[in-house]
Amino acid sequence: MKVDLHLHSSASFDCRIPPLDVARRCRQVGLSPIFLTDHEGIAGAQSLLKAGEAVVIGQEILTDEGELIGLFLEEAVPSRLTPEETVKAIKNQGGLVYLEHPYDTGRRNLPEAAIERIAGQIDIVEIFNGRSQLEINRRAEELRSTLGVPGGAGSDGHTLAEIGRVFVEMEAFEGPQDFLTKLRQSKVVIHARTGVIGRLRRRLSGSS
């Protein structure tokens, strides 16, 4: 299956695409299930579930020091908690802690001191973000290797054109723990932003 672990809809303050249009675009490019990770809420993902779409509920959560993503959520996580409190709120509902764009200072990334404090609770590191520079993504891969956790990837799409540019190819999974296991043997696929498609396949091995 193909999954983009970092997607937004109009349920985010900085995106205008209705959730159903995100779902339609995901079907067009073969992405399923849909990992919808809107800022500060899960209403968009919940609306897709009610519409019968295959969805993993996620949320990009603003802590009091920067952002974290929770995946496989059942309820929204409040904003402006400490990173530690945010991690606890994610874990208490059986979710996974996904550290996105950790070194992208042009975004609301967590500082290194905060990452150090929650390092043992991070389940996944985003090693390729479609909106980050290559050097930033390379540093994220180094962090993933240091932590010994699986790597994830996503377009961070806020427009329809971005959806499908970056995704993960992996085996089908059932639930968060099986997802983590399968993610260790997945591949990141990147489509170049030019008219010529460039595919970069890289096993996320070495994460044991």
Side-chain angles (χ1 to χ4, degrees):
M1 62 170 49
K2 301 193 302 187
V3 291
D4 180 336
L5 304 185
H6 193 165
L7 283 171
H8 292 273
S9 76
S10 57
S12 290
F13 69 88
D14 55 354
C15 179
R16 297 182 179 180
I17 312 167
L20 285 174
D21 287 351
V22 173
R24 191 172 300 111
R25 173 61 178 166
C26 285
R27 284 195 298 274
Q28 289 173 349
V29 297
L31 297 174
S32 182
I34 302 163
F35 282 70
L36 199 60
T37 56
D38 283 313
H39 294 288
E40 316 315 328
I42 60 173
Q46 288 176 326
S47 72
L48 290 182
L49 273 181
K50 290 178 182 177
E53 300 287 348
V55 181
V56 170
I57 296 178
Q59 180 185 344
E60 191 161 22
I61 308 151
L62 181 62
T63 76
D64 66 358
E65 295 187 56
E67 291 179 324
L68 276 173
I69 287 177
L71 297 176
F72 295 92
L73 300 180
E74 296 180 357
E75 57 188 41
V77 176
S79 303
R80 302 289 181 178
L81 301 176
T82 67
E84 291 89 345
E85 290 168 336
T86 301
V87 165
K88 184 177 180 180
I90 293 169
K91 298 281 191 177
N92 281 350
Q93 53 184 298
L96 300 178
V97 176
Y98 182 26
L99 178 63
E100 78 277 33
H101 47 65
Y103 295 111
D104 196 335
T105 56
R107 323 285 276 286
R108 300 188 293 189
N109 64 307
L110 275 184
E112 288 189 343
I115 293 173
E116 286 280 353
R117 298 199 312 269
I118 65 168
Q121 300 297 309
I122 295 170
D123 297 299
I124 310 162
V125 173
E126 184 176 67
I127 64 169
F128 198 98
N129 179 290
R131 290 187 159 204
S132 294
Q133 297 297 316
L134 290 176
E135 175 60 19
I136 291 170
N137 286 327
R138 185 193 64 77
R139 291 183 64 196
E141 163 60 19
E142 290 177 351
L143 175 63
R144 179 214 63 78
S145 179
T146 299
L147 295 179
V149 299
S155 64
D156 200 355
H158 289 67
T159 65
L160 290 177
E162 291 173 280
I163 300 174
R165 285 179 174 169
V166 182
F167 55 86
V168 175
E169 285 186 348
M170 63 185 299
E171 294 181 27
F173 60 86
E174 295 185 8
Q177 294 308 312
D178 189 43
F179 171 75
L180 275 182
T181 299
K182 302 289 176 55
L183 192 60
R184 289 186 180 275
Q185 299 303 319
S186 65
K187 297 177 182 177
V188 175
V189 179
I190 302 156
H191 288 260
R193 299 184 184 185
T194 64
V196 178
I197 291 178
R199 289 172 69 88
L200 170 62
R201 292 172 170 267
R202 181 166 47 153
R203 277 201 178 277
L204 304 182
S205 56
S207 8
S208 56

